[in-house]
Amino acid sequence: MQPQTSMSFMQRSIIITGISTLAFLPSAHAKRGNRLRTAAASDARSGSDTSGNAVLIPLQRMPARADHDGSKHHDASFYVGNITVGEPPQHLQVFFDTGSGHVLLPHMACKNRSCTEHVRYSPWASSSAMDVNANGSPVQEGSRLAKGRVRRTFATMDFTQADLGDGVAKGVLVRDHVCLSAGPEHHTSHLACADLAVLAALQEDAMPFESMPADGIIGLGLEGLSVSAFSNFYSRLMDNSHDVLPEFGMLLGETSGTILFGGRASVDNVAAPLEWFPVLRPHEGFWQFEIVQVRVNGMVVEQCQHGCRAVVDSGSSHLGVQSDRQESILNSLQSALFSDGKCNGPDLQIDLPRGLTLTLAARDYSDASCAVQLGALKLHEPQPRGVLFSLGTNVIRRYYTAFDWQAARIGFAPNEGSAPLDSNAHASAALNELVVF
């Protein structure tokens, strides 16, 4: 069985390429609303939370689509939820991505197959839509949507999806309501809405967008990953929200999950209290934190002499490590498939500050055939000294993960059946040996 040998660094960046001349169809004028609306929806607020005002969005785990040449992306999956955009509501499905900082939706004018095979967003069908530039100013004074030939901001988003590959989306900025929804089109309740600038793609590359099961992406990275705070979904969601916890969290299972906005999972859902870790270099926009060392069955395989850090990437299914460290860790993680269908292999232990550890079993870092899934991160930009890891949804399935927007910190608590975080406290004195492969 061959391990996964490569994956790209999950950085997503957006470039404003300046002013371009584009043609748009005329549309009718309509009064637009610009307030953030938070409407309680009792049918979606099952369970308890710490604030009483949390919005709970159900997620379904969906496999990546096969390419048109028939090739499949084995074991790549996304946790997909529902949103509505504009007035009247247009229903779309999205995945929530902690590794990017924009709302990306296919524009109705996009004719690429990667757009037409998904539900597209139509500004012309929304009475609350407004064409805007990067600074939030209207593209055309006196007209809600641009008419004729106009000069406006044109944005290019370089998107690297760890499981599917690299691609580019190009489009325009449209200000509209983006609302969290309890379910698909037959659900009419809007749980919370943000008024922000959406990147509406007029062109999407086949890779990775064709294979995504969702129509679009809600980026949940910090503001450093966004063109401006006005383009950042969570920043806009919190701007006019009161008496809610400035925090979101992900609780994922094998086939479904929940993302919580403005609250925290109840103690019934997790096995221990949250342990918090500060975000490193929050100005960069990534939810990244310190790693002390990495062990395999108690033996140190990465000593982190110059420091290590991990980025939580909910848009990826697997683990990743920068390419010059991949081979040594892979050699220590060989697993085998037992006759009962279970993976047999060593535990992977990611040691954190304060004597705490995230522990993954062989089934967590292997695919259905028990091949190890550890990608080599291709770093596109100069990086600080140290070793970079990325933690995908395979880690979030084991540990409820909370993202504190205000304090810039990340919290972990073991889900039911997962190892506690304090499992390395008693063993630290015995783990001085570094294993070299």
Side-chain angles (χ1 to χ4, degrees):
M1 291 175 288
Q2 295 298 315
Q4 178 178 315
T5 57
S6 67
M7 66 192 288
S8 296
F9 178 42
M10 30 57 65
Q11 179 171 352
R12 290 80 148 148
S13 60
I14 188 169
I15 303 169
I16 296 298
T17 55
I19 304 297
S20 301
T21 303
L22 301 171
F24 282 88
L25 298 174
S27 73
H29 291 268
K31 183 178 180 180
R32 62 181 295 281
N34 63 358
R35 67 192 185 282
L36 181 148
R37 295 164 293 152
T38 52
S42 58
D43 61 335
R45 294 193 178 192
S46 57
S48 59
D49 60 82
T50 58
S51 71
N53 292 316
V55 172
L56 280 64
I57 305 300
L59 305 174
Q60 292 297 317
R61 188 181 182 186
M62 300 176 66
R65 297 177 175 182
D67 293 337
H68 285 277
D69 62 6
S71 59
K72 296 182 179 180
H73 303 277
H74 294 289
D75 213 43
S77 61
F78 298 82
Y79 286 83
V80 175
N82 293 275
I83 63 168
T84 66
V85 187
E87 294 289 348
Q90 300 175 45
H91 294 260
L92 295 93
Q93 291 190 314
V94 297
F95 69 88
F96 296 89
D97 179 21
T98 57
S100 64
H102 297 87
V103 175
L104 175 66
L105 303 174
H107 196 294
M108 182 57 74
C110 178
K111 303 304 181 185
N112 299 132
R113 187 159 56 186
S114 50
C115 292
T116 59
E117 292 186 351
H118 292 94
V119 177
R120 290 172 290 171
Y121 160 62
S122 174
W124 305 305
S126 173
S127 64
S128 54
M130 175 183 285
D131 288 324
V132 295
N133 291 309
N135 62 4
S137 65
V139 169
Q140 197 172 56
E141 290 293 342
S143 181
R144 187 172 55 84
L145 297 181
K147 299 178 181 180
R149 299 184 68 81
V150 296
R151 293 175 63 79
R152 69 180 302 176
T153 301
F154 193 75
T156 298
M157 183 177 185
D158 295 315
F159 193 90
T160 299
Q161 207 290 320
D163 304 312
L164 304 180
D166 301 348
V168 173
K170 299 179 179 180
V172 293
L173 299 176
V174 182
R175 180 175 181 172
D176 211 340
H177 300 314
V178 177
C179 300
L180 302 168
S181 177
E185 192 165 349
H186 62 275
H187 286 261
T188 59
S189 56
H190 298 162
L191 303 186
C193 299
D195 173 43
L196 78 161
V198 172
L199 176 57
L202 297 168
Q203 177 184 332
E204 289 182 343
D205 287 349
M207 181 183 292
F209 300 102
E210 272 188 26
S211 297
M212 291 182 180
D215 306 311
I217 302 164
I218 300 288
L220 293 175
L222 293 162
E223 289 180 9
L225 285 178
S226 305
V227 170
S228 68
F230 188 66
S231 299
N232 188 286
F233 177 77
Y234 200 72
S235 176
R236 294 294 294 166
L237 192 68
M238 289 291 100
D239 273 351
N240 295 319
S241 298
H242 305 286
D243 301 321
V244 297
L245 199 65
E247 181 183 311
F248 66 92
M250 293 185 177
L251 187 66
L252 303 182
E254 291 298 323
T255 60
S256 61
T258 302
I259 184 167
L260 302 88
F261 291 94
R264 190 176 299 167
S266 72
V267 293
D268 296 334
N269 297 324
V270 294
L274 281 162
E275 297 284 354
W276 291 99
F277 305 91
V279 171
L280 301 177
R281 297 188 292 277
H283 64 278
E284 295 180 356
F286 294 108
W287 293 99
Q288 57 187 336
F289 60 97
E290 180 186 359
I291 291 177
V292 174
Q293 64 182 10
V294 177
R295 296 177 290 131
V296 173
N297 261 9
M299 306 299 287
V300 178
V301 295
E302 177 51 62
Q303 202 172 24
C304 298
Q305 270 189 317
H306 301 292
C308 291
R309 69 192 195 281
V311 175
V312 180
D313 181 15
S314 63
S316 170
S317 302
H318 306 121
L319 296 171
V321 63
Q322 65 187 56
S323 55
D324 61 338
R325 295 294 198 276
Q326 183 202 26
E327 184 177 358
S328 64
I329 296 178
L330 271 176
N331 287 339
S332 64
L333 284 177
Q334 300 305 316
S335 58
L337 187 64
F338 272 12
S339 58
D340 61 1
K342 295 181 179 179
C343 276
N344 178 43
D347 285 350
L348 175 65
Q349 295 140 334
I350 302 170
D351 291 343
L352 310 179
R354 306 195 308 276
L356 302 175
T357 297
L358 300 174
T359 301
L360 301 180
R363 67 181 183 276
D364 301 318
Y365 58 75
S366 305
D367 64 13
S369 65
C370 220
V372 175
Q373 299 292 289
L374 178 70
L377 301 179
K378 302 172 184 176
L379 307 183
H380 301 305
E381 297 177 3
Q383 299 291 317
R385 293 184 73 187
V387 181
L388 176 68
F389 292 81
S390 68
L391 310 182
T393 53
N394 57 343
V395 175
I396 303 175
R397 278 195 297 275
R398 289 290 154 223
Y399 296 91
Y400 171 76
T401 307
F403 304 83
D404 188 327
W405 187 266
Q406 189 172 62
R409 59 180 185 163
I410 302 169
F412 295 102
N415 291 330
E416 187 176 354
S418 297
L421 271 81
D422 61 356
S423 58
N424 78 322
H426 64 282
S428 57
L431 295 177
N432 295 322
E433 181 179 358
L434 174 65
V435 178
V436 180
F437 294 90

